[in-house]
Amino acid sequence: MNSNSPRASSKGIILILAFMLINLYGCRQLEIKKTGTADVSLYKKYESYFSVGAAVAPKHLSSVADILEFHFNRLAAENDMKFGPIHPAAGRYSFSNADAIANFARNNSMTMTGHTFVWHRQQPSWLFSGLSPGNTRDIETLKNQLKNHIETLVNRYDDVVDNWDVVNEAISDTGGKTYRDGSEGSEWYRIFQSEEYIYWAFKYSQDALAAKGSNAKLYYNDYNVTVPSKLNKILSMVQWLRSRGLRIDGIGLQGHWKLDWPTLSDIRSAINKISTAGLEVKISELDISIYTNDDWSTHAWEAEKAFTEQLETQQAVRYRELFMLFKANSGRITSVTFWGVSDDATWLDYHPKRRNDYPLLFDDRHKPKLAYYAITDF
Ligand code: 9MR
């Protein structure tokens, strides 16, 4: 149907009215007072549905230690388990940051998400240097490095990591192209000259876990998973891996979302589709930006704005709707992890440009925001 047709526009008006009503209802329900204290433990609140995590850097283990201990039963290393940070030179690992996070998790009976073995960003330059695209010997060299890397991390953290992001963001957003290739920044694709590296990442992970007798799960993690064309590509990759005898347990929806995007119905459909394909779902990097007017095609970014009461309420309503949806789908969702703890330390302050954002449950001074009450008080 043409989107300018009368039926399409009346459908649009109905959708807008429905959205307004939901918001109004949400605001009513949100006659919740900010008491200033956060007495309800987030992870206990959702314990019978899914685990609740936070991505951290070592500094958080002291700056927000109390919040972490009281509210979360899962951690992810925001950066410190990625290839570059943890394996900065051939044969040399730098474990101290990841160990600090893993020890905090161990000491507090938390589990961890292992993030991530293979990504096109934050990888060390040594890994690809001197390798020629498509050269069989060079591909073998890269495969051996990958195998060693995966085995080393699995052996060191298997007691605390219950699921690994084996591959992160390997699917292209470009129409007509399934896999991110060299032109979209993937050195892995460029050297292999194909998506075959994804096969090896899952193969080595599966083998390393089997050798350890581990029950840890193997995930593929990405953004824009709610976009149907991207999800179709992800599911075709899953089929391809399975057709080659490999196991993949679940898909991570990163959840870098906005106040008005994606729609609840798009999130619900993605969860349904993934679980119908026999896969677990996790929400792996949740944060809700207050900026809704960025134009990615022209790189026209919305100007910095203040975090008004109205925005705080809107964000709280959004968080509540999301957690109601997660709860309703709890049989399919294994974990929900926030990409940070408090608004003073969020990657969104630097992305897509330097600009203060307020995407998390705790404010710049580590006090609970309305969003915290919205998801603990219903
Ligand atoms: O939050 C991370 C930020 O500190 C790093 O500078 C950035 C480097 O690219 O990676 C951020 O984390 C990303 C995650 O690993 C994968 N999904 C997107 C996240 C936000 O960019």
Side-chain angles (χ1 to χ4, degrees):
M1 184 169 47
N2 179 335
S3 62
N4 291 324
S5 72
R7 261 181 71 193
S9 62
S10 60
K11 201 173 154 201
I13 291 168
I14 290 169
L15 277 175
I16 291 168
L17 283 174
F19 181 73
M20 284 167 66
L21 272 175
I22 289 169
N23 268 305
L24 201 69
Y25 174 71
C27 292
R28 283 258 168 71
Q29 286 220 312
L30 276 171
E31 279 168 8
I32 295 167
K33 291 279 163 292
K34 279 169 76 172
T35 60
T37 53
D39 299 334
V40 179
S41 158
L42 270 172
Y43 85 80
K44 286 204 178 125
K45 172 88 189 166
Y46 291 97
E47 207 160 25
S48 47
Y49 305 108
F50 40 74
S51 57
V52 181
V56 293
K59 65 175 181 197
H60 293 118
L61 306 175
S62 48
S63 67
V64 285
D66 293 352
I67 298 183
L68 292 174
E69 284 167 25
F70 187 71
H71 289 291
F72 298 96
N73 55 359
R74 167 175 302 280
L75 294 181
E78 184 176 355
N79 290 299
D80 293 302
M81 280 194 186
K82 293 171 183 171
F83 212 127
I86 206 166
H87 196 166
R92 184 166 71 76
Y93 287 84
S94 173
F95 292 122
S96 55
N97 286 351
D99 280 359
I101 297 170
N103 286 335
F104 187 95
R106 291 179 180 117
N107 293 338
N108 290 287
S109 308
M110 300 160 125
T111 42
M112 282 191 76
T113 292
H115 179 77
T116 171
F117 292 143
V118 168
W119 190 24
H120 63 285
R121 304 190 64 186
Q122 284 175 292
Q123 38 193 14
S125 49
W126 67 264
L127 186 56
F128 304 100
S129 90
L131 305 185
S132 303
N135 178 295
T136 317
R137 262 215 338 248
D138 289 351
I139 290 174
E140 283 309 307
T141 304
L142 192 52
K143 276 167 59 183
N144 283 332
Q145 293 293 1
L146 179 63
K147 183 168 185 286
N148 175 282
H149 179 84
I150 290 174
E151 284 171 355
T152 305
L153 266 62
V154 164
N155 285 334
R156 195 169 185 94
Y157 299 114
D158 179 62
D159 64 310
V160 67
V161 169
D162 71 350
N163 78 96
W164 291 95
D165 289 334
V166 177
V167 176
N168 189 45
E169 302 175 11
I171 297 291
S172 174
D173 296 297
T174 308
K177 191 198 276 188
T178 299
Y179 295 96
R180 179 188 299 277
D181 57 21
S183 74
E184 293 178 310
S186 176
E187 286 289 281
W188 291 98
Y189 193 105
R190 193 177 69 84
I191 299 300
F192 273 80
Q193 297 266 282
S194 78
E195 61 276 16
E196 194 67 10
Y197 73 92
I198 301 174
Y199 169 84
W200 290 107
F202 275 91
K203 167 95 176 107
Y204 295 143
S205 300
Q206 184 172 322
D207 291 350
L209 293 177
K212 203 76 189 139
S214 170
N215 293 321
K217 298 291 171 73
L218 304 174
Y219 271 76
Y220 173 75
N221 192 51
D222 212 332
Y223 59 88
N224 279 351
V225 177
T226 54
V227 175
S229 56
K230 183 135 179 205
L231 181 52
N232 288 341
K233 294 178 192 176
I234 294 173
L235 294 178
S236 73
M237 176 194 72
V238 169
Q239 263 186 347
W240 167 67
L241 290 171
R242 284 174 169 165
S243 75
R244 297 193 49 191
L246 291 186
R247 184 184 109 218
I248 168 166
D249 299 300
I251 305 298
L253 282 72
Q254 290 184 359
H256 296 298
W257 290 334
K258 295 182 178 292
L259 293 171
D260 61 354
W261 177 91
T263 64
L264 293 179
S265 112
D266 283 350
I267 298 171
R268 198 177 293 115
S269 310
I271 294 172
N272 280 340
K273 231 172 151 178
I274 294 168
S275 108
T276 304
L279 294 155
E280 294 178 353
V281 176
K282 66 175 178 178
I283 311 297
S284 51
E285 305 182 12
L286 184 60
D287 46 23
I288 308 291
S289 171
I290 63 159
Y291 293 95
T292 48
N293 291 315
D294 291 331
D295 185 339
W296 285 84
S297 57
T298 59
H299 287 195
W301 314 124
E302 193 176 342
E304 164 116 24
K305 61 186 179 190
F307 189 51
T308 58
E309 243 173 69
Q310 194 206 340
L311 281 172
E312 181 162 7
T313 303
Q314 233 182 309
Q315 186 184 52
V317 171
R318 176 74 163 150
Y319 263 118
R320 176 173 287 185
E321 288 167 358
L322 288 172
F323 271 76
M324 286 172 83
L325 172 66
F326 299 158
K327 211 169 140 184
N329 284 277
S330 61
R332 299 153 165 182
I333 296 177
T334 52
S335 61
V336 176
T337 295
F338 291 86
W339 208 241
V341 176
S342 50
D343 289 343
D344 58 321
T346 165
W347 73 290
L348 288 169
D349 279 351
Y350 304 93
H351 181 90
K353 66 163 190 171
R354 176 72 195 97
R355 166 180 82 178
N356 287 332
D357 206 339
Y358 306 84
L360 297 162
L361 298 184
F362 295 86
D363 70 15
D364 286 346
R365 292 172 306 121
H366 307 166
K367 296 284 175 254
K369 292 161 61 184
L370 205 54
Y372 160 80
Y373 298 101
I375 64 169
T376 47
D377 246 22
F378 74 99

